[in-house]
Amino acid sequence: MPVSWTAASARRMDRQGLLTPLPAGATSPADVAGRMLGAQAQVASAAELSLALRMDGATRTDVRDALAGGPGPGRGPGPTLVKSFGPRGTIHLLPARDLPWWTGALGALPARPGALGPGAGMTAAQTDEVVAAIGDALSGAELTVDELTEAIVARTGSWAADPVMPAFQTMWPRWRQITHTAAYRGVLAFGRDRGRKVTYTNPDTAPRLPHRVAARAGDPLPARLRTRHRPGLRLLARRSPGVGRRAVRLPRRGGAHRGGAVHVRPRLARRR
């Protein structure tokens, strides 16, 4: 059945609560973030607004409570929203329940070549060592950047804190170039702010897809990812080792919203 761009846009706006706000009693900020596939949160107030305006009668306090694990409908004993590095390596608010899928999918993408000059980057072994140090240091803790730097140095060596990364008219320590990598591997997310300083914590999330393999055979992707990002799944397959375009099996569009699973099938190595 042909669908016009206007009809497709209207359906998307309706699903995201932009035409009629979603009922607050039956919808939580995490539910809204799931419909949006994450809310951009480089500016915290913008993320609070983008989620709250999609819920009937909601305010930024409801979003903050979901991040802090406060009271409210649809919220469990812990935070139902997580602030972490999402698509494009930028900060997003993501549903806590979906974090294993996000870390698995984003961690499966091949690492991009470093943009820093000679001697400023990190090898794969150094990256693994720092990620392990971050996971250990943040387990059960919320640390500022300075505190985390000290903890990483204590576990790896002074090289991890070499000021080699230009940022905001200063130089950041070497390890910060892989902050998003640690998030994609499930060992780093934002904690509660400490005054004007941000903190990081370990969400203790095991990625549902290995960070170096696109997917295990028969591992289903959640409906929220597959129904909104069919082209993205194809791109993920093409850019991931050992998995090709046809390896991602998507349901027919007509049945995409009825709960059918999407699977990633193994394939033979590509011909070179």
Side-chain angles (χ1 to χ4, degrees), residues 42-257:
Q42 296 289 120
V43 179
S45 58
E48 294 166 357
L49 176 63
S50 68
L51 293 178
L53 66 80
R54 289 169 163 83
M55 298 172 57
D56 187 24
T59 68
R60 62 193 305 178
T61 300
D62 296 284
V63 180
R64 292 177 177 178
D65 286 346
L67 273 168
R75 299 171 202 147
T80 55
L81 279 178
V82 176
K83 183 178 179 181
S84 188
F85 293 90
R88 303 179 305 282
T90 55
I91 302 171
H92 282 67
L93 297 185
L94 303 169
R97 62 175 179 262
D98 290 347
L99 193 59
W101 291 110
W102 277 111
T103 56
L106 294 172
L109 294 174
R112 292 174 294 181
L116 302 178
M122 293 175 59
T123 66
Q126 288 175 325
T127 297
D128 291 343
E129 186 178 0
V130 169
V131 169
I134 290 173
D136 182 56
L138 294 180
S139 182
E142 292 181 326
L143 303 180
T144 65
V145 171
D146 292 339
E147 292 168 345
L148 182 54
T149 298
E150 293 178 359
I152 292 172
V153 168
R155 290 165 171 79
T156 62
S158 60
W159 59 267
D162 291 341
V164 298
M165 186 178 177
F168 302 102
Q169 300 180 342
T170 187
M171 300 295 284
W172 283 356
R174 186 189 303 272
W175 73 266
R176 292 195 66 177
Q177 64 191 273
I178 57 96
T179 305
H180 68 285
T181 302
Y184 289 174
R185 297 191 188 180
V187 299
L188 179 144
F190 285 85
R192 293 167 294 186
D193 289 343
R194 194 184 301 171
R196 297 185 63 182
K197 294 184 177 181
V198 302
T199 69
Y200 294 117
T201 190
N202 185 344
D204 194 22
T205 298
R208 294 295 296 270
L209 307 177
H211 69 268
R212 285 183 178 171
V213 180
R216 293 184 296 272
D219 208 351
L221 298 175
R224 285 178 295 280
L225 300 187
R226 59 179 164 76
T227 57
R228 292 165 179 76
H229 278 262
R230 295 171 70 95
L233 291 175
R234 299 291 191 193
L235 181 62
L236 172 63
R238 289 200 301 270
R239 291 186 176 181
S240 300
V243 176
R245 180 182 178 86
R246 295 182 180 178
V248 179
R249 185 172 72 250
L250 298 172
R252 295 180 179 178
R253 291 183 183 274
H257 298 284

